[in-house]
Amino acid sequence: MFTRRNVLALGAALVAAPGGAFAQAKTDIAISRQPGILYLPTHVIEKKKLLEKHAERLGLPGVTTKWIAFSNGGAQQDALLSGSVDIINTGTGPLLVLWDKTRGRVKGICASSAQPLLLISRDPRIKSLADFGEGDKIAVPTVRVSTQAILLQLAASQMFGPDKWNHFDAMTVQLGHPDAFVALKNPSHEVKSHFAAPPFQAYALKQVPGAHVVANSAEIIGSPLSQGQFMTTTGFAEANPKIVQALRAAAEEAKAFVETNTAEALEIYREVTGDKTSTADLLDVLKEPGMMEWNIYPQGTMKFATHLAKIGAIKNQPASWKDYYLPVAHDLPGN
């Protein structure tokens, strides 16, 4: 479980170790991600072995990649800091918290998706965020620090004032998206609302009686927001610069492939994840507004950083998104 104590302790270890902990040149790379179609580019990278391809082009043959699925960002963060994985793909909130707590020893490589997240409820009483009250429960991937949890904090600040940013925190419960979807389908389950990620939000709207949209991430933040982004320790990046360069190139190629060969990319997603949803239905999901947002540059991240600094969740206010992204991304536009 991700906790402030273990991040602080492991962050100190990263700072103390020469060049960052776990700094060694490697050709066997472990990368993690969470469930959901917003990780579609990572499935393309895996299936088409794009990291291996671009590493070889850069003069690093023989690279092998192991892809690991975690149910939430907190577990991924623990794995990265413990050295169990080399690179993770998760949201903006975890990136900023890790960057801050490790004193800059965790940074982003590039983004991979920025689809809107939808807060879904099957409770007929809940029509808007203002309708949530004591006793209501909202499923999020990781309490307090997941992208969904921070979006709720931003919404609370807008609705009730900056000092009420944690208004919804007590209502959140930690459930991975697949488990939250199952809870939503169970009419007797105490969790009636889920701040979901694609495709689980689409599944809920289609399969759960009475399910409806309560809030949209783009409306809360006022812009697209990077939901998936690759990040690693600076120690790993310094020891493995060609892997980092290859991953950025792989992400660019995967973006182009998803945009021009969407149906084939979805077949890859179905094969890798075991999702039984038809390709036709998944194509319908991607036709929804904002769902083909696969840019590799960070979007909306400084808004998160400003909020986290204001509430004390991070101690250091970055001057630019480039502070928490590696130089391999600095030629990109970003915000």
Side-chain angles (χ1 to χ4, degrees):
M1 181 67 66
F2 170 74
T3 66
R4 176 180 174 85
R5 178 177 296 176
N6 64 18
V7 168
L8 287 171
L10 289 164
L14 282 168
V15 174
F22 323 119
Q24 55 181 320
K26 301 181 67 175
T27 55
D28 54 327
I29 310 302
I31 307 178
S32 71
R33 62 182 168 229
Q34 296 178 68
I37 205 169
L38 65 85
Y39 297 98
L40 180 57
T42 73
H43 301 116
V44 172
I45 293 171
E46 176 183 1
K47 182 65 177 178
K48 298 181 77 65
K49 297 189 180 298
L50 298 184
L51 177 59
E52 294 87 338
K53 166 186 169 181
H54 287 283
E56 186 166 6
R57 285 183 175 179
L58 291 168
L60 189 63
V63 169
T64 59
T65 306
K66 180 180 181 182
W67 291 84
I68 305 167
F70 285 94
S71 63
N72 62 67
Q76 287 194 97
Q77 294 161 51
D78 286 343
L80 178 65
L81 292 176
S82 68
S84 300
V85 299
D86 304 300
I87 298 166
I88 65 175
N89 189 299
T90 187
T92 295
L95 170 60
L96 289 164
V97 170
L98 286 176
W99 168 79
D100 180 70
K101 295 298 189 294
T102 63
R103 304 179 194 177
R105 304 303 294 179
V106 171
K107 292 188 177 183
I109 298 171
C110 65
S112 58
S113 61
Q115 283 80 11
L117 306 178
L118 302 182
L119 175 54
I120 306 296
S121 182
R122 61 174 164 80
D123 189 335
R125 179 178 54 84
I126 305 295
K127 303 296 185 185
S128 72
L129 284 170
D131 295 324
F132 284 103
E134 186 176 354
D136 291 321
K137 298 185 184 301
I138 306 170
V140 297
T142 308
V143 297
R144 290 185 62 86
V145 299
S146 65
T147 297
Q148 287 86 344
I150 296 169
L151 283 165
L152 287 171
Q153 293 169 5
L154 284 165
S157 296
Q158 296 164 8
M159 295 169 63
F160 308 114
D163 60 329
K164 301 293 185 181
W165 59 269
N166 61 351
H167 175 82
F168 295 110
D169 278 4
M171 304 177 201
T172 60
V173 295
Q174 184 162 309
L175 283 176
H177 292 305
D179 290 336
F181 173 54
V182 170
L184 218 59
K185 289 198 296 182
N186 181 352
S188 63
H189 200 285
E190 63 178 355
V191 173
K192 301 177 182 179
S193 302
H194 173 206
F195 211 147
F200 300 100
Q201 55 203 33
Y203 296 168
L205 290 171
K206 189 173 183 178
Q207 299 180 34
V208 177
H212 55 278
V213 178
V214 176
N216 182 310
S217 63
E219 295 172 357
I220 292 173
I221 199 169
S223 69
L225 173 68
S226 292
Q227 309 295 352
Q229 50 211 318
F230 292 103
M231 61 197 76
T232 190
T233 65
T234 54
F236 177 85
E238 290 160 6
N240 299 274
K242 290 184 179 180
I243 293 294
V244 170
Q245 293 170 36
L247 183 55
R248 173 181 160 166
E252 289 181 304
E253 183 172 346
K255 172 185 182 293
F257 184 86
V258 171
E259 290 173 341
T260 57
N261 302 275
T262 309
E264 186 178 349
L266 288 171
E267 289 289 353
I268 290 172
Y269 161 79
R270 294 177 71 245
E271 178 183 347
V272 172
T273 65
D275 193 327
K276 302 303 182 183
T277 308
S278 71
T279 299
D281 285 345
L282 290 170
L283 281 168
D284 287 340
V285 170
L286 293 186
K287 290 176 184 177
E288 294 297 317
M291 285 300 298
M292 284 295 285
E293 179 55 75
W294 310 108
N295 285 316
I296 70 166
Y297 58 84
Q299 299 181 75
T301 63
M302 279 296 290
K303 293 180 181 179
F304 259 43
T306 299
H307 164 73
L308 292 174
K310 282 182 178 178
I311 68 172
I314 62 174
K315 294 180 180 179
N316 301 293
Q317 168 73 61
S320 162
W321 66 269
K322 294 180 181 179
D323 291 346
Y324 46 85
Y325 259 79
L326 292 166
V328 71
H330 288 184
D331 64 308
L332 297 169
N335 57 73

